[in-house]
Amino acid sequence: MNSHKILILFVIVFGLVGCEQASKGFSLPIGDPAQGEEVFLSMQCLSCHEMEGYERPESGEDKLSVTLGGKVATLKTYAELVTSVINPSHQLAEGYELSDIQHEGESVMPVYNSVLTVEQLINLITFLESRYELEPYTRTEYIIYR
Ligand code: HEC
């Protein structure tokens, strides 16, 4: 093989590796969390959600309260977060009484798609993502009887 062919081979191999990485996942551009927080507050997400560090508007006793953010055992993927905002009924949040969070299979969460601009969505998701923290891993202790 002459050096010219080797060079072409390199370009092809590295070109392919590059493609593979680029196609691994899809995400929107990184947004601005401070502006995302403004969206979160102005859209009144807190009327149904609670989030550490945020006061809820006149919270009554039996108010719907789905927790967002905080320490979790498994982080939501970027795609899951986006999906839960643009298509809330796709996968309902776990750990809640079904009758509280859905009606005839549809999430009670409003669909904001015609309300949010793409820029607001990008910022909102960046803000939400920054509010989750992975819980430190704790080992299960086993007692072995012999
Ligand atoms: C009228 C009540 C209501 C409002 C307002 C509301 N949500 Fe929700 N949201 C829910 C309910 C109920 C769920 C649980 C069912 C589901 O997963 O759709 C939920 C689920 C979610 C989840 C997934 C949580 C999980 O643990 O899976 C996210 C993220 C979320 N909402 C974000 C938002 C954001 C951001 C806003 C404001 C733009 C908002 N919600 C406004 C009721 C609401």
Side-chain angles (χ1 to χ4, degrees), residues 22-104:
S23 65
K24 269 202 175 135
F26 172 80
S27 56
L28 298 165
I30 297 175
D32 178 68
Q35 287 184 36
E37 181 190 42
E38 276 175 32
V39 175
F40 183 74
L41 296 174
S42 66
M43 293 290 159
Q44 287 160 16
C45 310
L46 287 166
S47 62
C48 299
H49 290 285
E50 61 180 314
M51 187 184 272
E52 214 182 297
Y54 292 86
E55 284 283 328
R56 301 191 64 195
E58 82 290 324
S59 32
E61 275 293 294
D62 54 350
K63 215 167 171 179
L64 182 58
S65 185
V66 175
T67 306
L68 297 181
K71 285 204 167 108
V72 288
T74 43
L75 283 178
K76 288 191 176 304
T77 64
Y78 186 87
E80 283 169 338
L81 268 185
V82 174
T83 307
S84 57
V85 174
I86 65 174
N87 185 8
S89 303
H90 178 71
Q91 192 175 22
L92 297 175
E94 285 171 15
Y96 299 93
E97 201 68 59
L98 264 185
S99 56
D100 290 343
I101 63 167
Q102 58 87 49
H103 184 65
E104 293 174 354

Side-chain angles (χ1 to χ4, degrees), residues 28-40 78 81-82 85 116-131:
L28 298 165
I30 297 175
D32 178 68
Q35 287 184 36
E37 181 190 42
E38 276 175 32
V39 175
F40 183 74
Y78 186 87
L81 268 185
V82 174
V85 174
L116 292 174
T117 65
V118 175
E119 191 179 8
Q120 284 177 314
L121 176 71
I122 289 170
N123 292 334
L124 178 63
I125 299 299
T126 304
F127 166 71
L128 287 179
E129 208 175 19
S130 75
R131 304 295 303 177

